[in-house]
Amino acid sequence: MKKGMIKATDAFERVVHWSLALSCILLFVTGLGMMFHSFNFIGNVMGGLRSLKYVHNFGGLVFAVSLVLAVRMWWHEAGKFEMPEDLEWMKAAGGYLWHVDNMPEVGKYNPGQKAFFLAVAVFGAVMVFTGLLMWFQPLSPGLLILMYPLHALGFVVLFAFFFVHLYLGTVGSPGSAPAMFSGWVTRAWAKKQHPKWLRETEESGSLEVYGEEKKEAHSAH
Amino acid sequence: MAEKIKLYDDSKCTACRGCQLACKQWNGLKAKQTKNLGTYQNPPTLQANTYMIIRFQDVEDDKGNVKWLFRKDACMHCTDAACVQACPTSALRYNKEFRIVGKDLDRCIGCKNCVAACPFEVPKYDHETDKVYKCDMCESRIVNNMIPACVKACPTGALQWGDKDVMMKAAAKRVKELGGDANIYGDKVVGGTHLMYVLKEKPSVYAGLNQNPHVPYSVLLWKNLLKPLSLLAAGGVIGGSFLHYIIHGPKTPDEDGQGSQAEGGK
Ligand code: SF4
Ligand code: SF4
Ligand code: SF4
């Protein structure tokens, strides 16, 4: 690790992120294997059509647990919009689509990330809820059948958002991915993407910089 | 070969249940201990080990006379079959020759989508095998030029199997003979069923008979709209991301570190 790198995430955050992400990808793959007959081969690759169901159902349980942890962990930082700066950020589309001179300063999460977090939280919960009902079928036929289009709707949203997230977490925003691998990002990246967070944590002394002592508040070691 | 249907005429049925037994026998379905619920209808509904039952029903007419009504309850073999649309593995699929809904048991993964989708509550799930079972119109028999086992066993001619047009003519003729409320059930729903009834009474008189069966709107929404939309939306995002990358470019941290290094120096 180079001196001066900034700590953006702790190990627990990264473990939860990846258990949510990998279980989600597994659910996409097995779900596609069941939604499209032409993708049935995915089941055969996994050792039989039946594995589609088992991997999907039990992967869903891992996803459910990860989702609960993720929501509890990120809710207070990513679950609330800050007005008016978040509104201005959205009006400027985050500076992603056209040139914006005075971007409102972004904190730990920008409104796009917050929207993504909320979409995952809400539709993730829809997926878990409808999935469990389809698995155990405790409902009357008229209600039960409604769970299928809801589950499919959740897939439409999450599958599309997944690619947005993938792009903006990698090539679309260089320097972001390390936040979820090593947890350390460059100061230049933090300055560009989350200037308000950088300034505030620096002022309060809670910012961890590699090779430097924390200024105050030695609560963690 | 032509499309075929099975025709059931309740006015000729004596509820001997020879068909119910023949079905068990041909399909090798074990009997389970059942309870006497005060009716000959036994078991009370279709089961994983019972692909058809004869339903028994007492109805009173205007003069207070009690009549017995019978109905053969089994898979209707819909032309637009909700179960086929919902099945993820094509375990349920159309037989191209006869247009009936056949079943490849070894492909069934026991997801119960078909159970939720069928407007007639036909497919039944079995916990032990983790699969779903229903009448397959004796597919292994009909493809070998034999008639379904239940039809073979019927002693009164209440069950017939034949080309659709021939059967439809016979049904129309029978409805005329019977007069009154007699009607054909099945030809106008779910694209036409392949188990059709000639009923003595209006369909609404028969307990448990769906008056307006159709592929659930949920299934249509799921399969015809959301399913293709999922790929379109994801494809749009991938295409959009690529365009963003080549037109606007990624959001890169300022290389000169303007301001950042100065501050970071402290
Ligand atoms: S009656 Fe039900 S199980 Fe039979 S073909 Fe129609 S939808 Fe499928
Ligand atoms: S339970 Fe079996 S037959 Fe029914 S939809 Fe699922 S895989 Fe198809
Ligand atoms: S067609 Fe065959 S499987 Fe279907 S009810 Fe008749 S005997 Fe049973």
Side-chain angles (χ1 to χ4, degrees):
Chain A
M1 195 60 52
K2 271 197 288 180
K3 209 166 168 290
M5 294 289 271
I6 285 170
K7 188 163 191 184
T9 58
D10 62 29
F12 182 70
E13 278 185 287
R14 295 195 296 281
V15 168
V16 170
H17 170 264
W18 284 111
S19 102
L20 190 67
L22 294 178
S23 59
C24 186
I25 292 171
L26 205 59
L27 292 170
F28 283 161
V29 170
T30 47
L32 282 167
M34 290 189 276
M35 183 127 101
F36 295 87
H37 290 155
S38 43
F39 290 155
N40 277 175
F41 71 89
I42 294 168
N44 294 326
V45 170
M46 290 178 161
L49 287 170
R50 211 162 256 276
S51 15
L52 286 174
K53 178 177 94 165
Y54 289 132
V55 175
H56 198 76
N57 288 359
F58 291 100
L61 295 182
V62 176
F63 178 81
V65 172
S66 316
L67 187 69
V68 171
L69 294 176
V71 169
R72 283 182 47 170
M73 180 169 70
W74 284 322
W75 187 258
H76 60 285
E77 283 176 330
K80 292 189 282 287
F81 287 95
E82 304 284 338
M83 291 307 159
E85 60 264 42
D86 279 358
L87 190 68
E88 269 163 43
W89 188 95
M90 282 188 268
K91 277 192 208 145
Y96 279 100
L97 299 182
W98 55 87
H99 182 78
V100 181
D101 280 327
N102 293 313
M103 277 303 297
E105 284 213 315
V106 168
K108 177 98 192 233
Y109 295 102
N110 70 43
Q113 289 173 300
K114 290 179 186 173
F116 178 74
F117 167 78
L118 286 172
V120 171
V122 171
F123 284 96
V126 167
M127 293 313 257
V128 171
F129 186 69
T130 54
L132 285 171
L133 292 171
M134 288 152 67
W135 184 355
F136 296 103
Q137 307 207 334
L139 302 174
S140 65
L143 277 178
L144 174 62
I145 197 66
L146 296 177
M147 300 306 133
Y148 289 82
L150 272 176
H151 204 71
L153 177 70
F155 175 65
V156 171
V157 174
L158 292 177
F159 197 46
F161 267 69
F162 166 75
F163 287 105
V164 177
H165 186 61
L166 185 68
Y167 173 65
L168 290 178
T170 56
V171 289
S173 173
S176 300
M180 274 306 160
F181 286 105
S182 66
W184 296 92
V185 295
T186 64
R187 183 172 283 272
W189 178 86
K191 179 89 188 160
K192 174 87 179 181
Q193 300 285 358
H194 305 281
K196 190 168 155 211
W197 169 75
L198 184 66
R199 184 163 39 75
E200 285 176 358
T201 51
E202 210 152 36
E203 276 163 13
S204 72
S206 55
L207 187 71
E208 254 189 77
V209 182
Y210 197 81
E212 279 178 28
E213 281 286 304
K214 262 201 196 177
K215 284 178 207 146
E216 299 148 33
H218 275 269
S219 53
H221 35 251
Chain B
M1 215 189 272
E3 186 175 0
K4 291 195 181 204
I5 66 168
K6 183 166 71 182
L7 190 64
Y8 168 75
D9 182 344
D10 78 326
S11 65
K12 286 185 184 168
C13 176
T14 62
C16 71
R17 298 192 292 187
C19 50
Q20 195 171 323
L21 197 65
C23 177
K24 283 235 166 199
Q25 200 176 32
W26 174 256
N27 291 295
L29 303 172
K30 292 214 176 70
K32 276 196 191 126
Q33 184 70 48
T34 55
K35 255 206 210 133
N36 187 336
L37 298 170
T39 163
Y40 286 109
Q41 186 175 318
N42 183 33
T45 58
L46 299 179
Q47 293 179 333
N49 65 337
T50 310
Y51 299 169
M52 68 146 290
I53 56 168
I54 293 293
R55 286 176 168 268
F56 289 71
Q57 189 186 356
D58 296 332
V59 284
E60 223 177 293
D61 66 13
D62 325 328
K63 295 177 206 87
N65 302 318
V66 175
K67 284 194 290 188
W68 231 0
L69 281 188
F70 310 128
R71 177 167 70 89
K72 177 190 162 84
D73 189 0
C75 173
M76 301 301 279
H77 295 274
C78 315
T79 299
D80 297 327
C83 62
V84 172
Q85 295 188 37
C87 180
T89 57
S90 315
L92 292 170
R93 41 124 195 93
Y94 300 110
N95 176 302
K96 291 208 181 68
E97 195 179 337
F98 297 98
R99 316 279 181 84
I100 58 96
V101 176
K103 188 154 191 296
D104 296 325
L105 251 197
D106 52 339
R107 292 187 71 85
C108 176
I109 62 173
C111 69
K112 298 180 273 184
N113 285 9
C114 53
V115 177
C118 171
F120 296 99
E121 294 182 39
V122 165
K124 297 292 175 201
Y125 176 72
D126 177 46
H127 275 282
E128 260 160 54
T129 55
D130 192 21
K131 284 176 193 281
V132 157
Y133 299 84
K134 75 165 195 77
C135 155
D136 67 349
M137 201 62 106
C138 288
E139 201 177 12
S140 59
R141 293 175 60 92
I142 58 177
V143 296
N144 287 302
N145 275 321
M146 289 191 274
I147 63 176
C150 51
V151 179
K152 180 95 180 169
C154 182
T156 65
L159 279 172
Q160 286 175 273
W161 168 253
D163 289 345
K164 185 172 179 181
D165 46 351
V166 178
M167 291 288 108
M168 289 304 297
K169 265 182 218 139
K173 191 163 155 247
R174 183 66 184 158
V175 164
K176 225 181 238 161
E177 276 169 26
L178 289 169
D181 285 337
N183 64 94
I184 301 176
Y185 179 94
D187 55 337
K188 286 181 267 314
V189 292
V190 291
T193 59
H194 291 83
L195 163 58
M196 253 183 241
Y197 296 149
V198 169
L199 299 177
K200 291 188 284 203
E201 310 287 339
K202 289 195 196 92
S204 53
V205 177
Y206 295 82
L209 181 61
N210 194 334
Q211 301 307 302
N212 178 30
H214 55 82
V215 179
Y217 299 119
S218 303
V219 173
L220 296 176
L221 184 67
W222 164 30
K223 290 295 169 180
N224 298 342
L225 185 74
L226 295 168
K227 182 177 154 181
L229 189 64
S230 67
L231 291 192
L232 276 177
V237 167
I238 294 170
S241 300
F242 179 73
L243 287 178
H244 179 259
Y245 192 81
I246 59 168
I247 295 171
H248 185 86
K251 190 167 178 182
T252 327
D254 302 324
E255 280 303 332
D256 60 358
Q258 177 204 15
S260 61
Q261 278 313 316
E263 247 187 330
K266 10 179 191 175

